[in-house]
Amino acid sequence: MSVRSLERAFELLEHLADAGGEMALTELTERSGLPMPTVYRMMQTLVGAGYVRQEPSRRYALGPRLIRLGDSASRLLGTWARPVLAALVDDLGETANMAVLEGDAVVYVAQVPSRHSMRMFTEVGRRVLPHCTGVGKALLAQLPDETAREIVGRTGMPARTPRTFTDPDALMAELALIRERGYALDDEEQELGVRCVAVPLPHSPARAALSVSGPSGRMTPETVERVIPVMRDAAAAFAVELAARD
């Protein structure tokens, strides 16, 4: 049997996270649809417990006590993902990653490297901007356009390479295409000479994405077409596994 007040408290924390970690009481009230007195009481309770802090401006922000929970959850998710990533490396021969969206940043929580000797820019624990990576765009595509725009508006869209998306409207069109076709492609947008395919975890309790990265010479368009169904199957199976653990 669910406890509705507890569900609402977690929903408020998720609204804060989706907004980049900070919101005013009026914004939380509008986003949640709850009465303002209810939101106020819940937020004050979370402030008292250390899961939320209240800034001098009176805005609410995610609190430091969440850091330990988030770190532990990310490590556990990465541990669960490693067999899935290892199977992808065995099947496809390229480096496989898992990443999650934490606030406005993409965080890599697991990686199994390719047997080929090539240094990739990704590594476990690294935080990157979402607009220029395959996993980042796969994660943004899971959000409403308004939320995705807010994120890239806060982070900016710096060009990592000449191929990086730097225009929000162009990125929104790309996210619509990703939702339609079910995968994201980083075509040398983060690092020249590297191509990446990423897929979201469908209907998963965790907003996460899997990716396979390799040099463009090996990750040709023909190879990408072969990679996509393998990754979709792996993501769907892992999402079912995560749901069973929930």
Side-chain angles (χ1 to χ4, degrees), residues 215-238:
S216 301
R218 289 201 303 264
M219 291 286 285
T220 62
E222 294 75 20
T223 301
V224 167
E225 289 300 314
R226 181 175 66 85
V227 163
I228 291 166
V230 176
M231 293 189 64
R232 281 177 173 161
D233 289 347
F238 188 48

Side-chain angles (χ1 to χ4, degrees), residues 130-143 145 148-149 152 157 163-189 196-198:
H131 72 288
C132 53
T133 60
V135 285
K137 291 190 291 182
L139 290 164
L140 289 177
Q142 298 178 54
L143 303 172
D145 273 353
R149 278 187 182 273
V152 298
M157 299 178 64
R163 303 180 69 94
T164 305
F165 281 89
T166 57
D167 176 69
D169 290 336
L171 180 63
M172 293 306 114
E174 176 75 358
L175 297 184
L177 180 60
I178 290 167
R179 294 183 192 109
E180 179 182 335
R181 68 190 183 188
Y183 70 91
L185 181 65
D186 165 6
D187 190 9
E188 303 187 36
E189 297 160 39
C196 169
V197 180

Side-chain angles (χ1 to χ4, degrees), residues 94-109:
E94 302 294 349
T95 297
N97 309 280
M98 168 171 275
V100 299
L101 191 64
E102 288 188 4
D104 293 344
V106 173
V107 182
Y108 289 90
V109 297

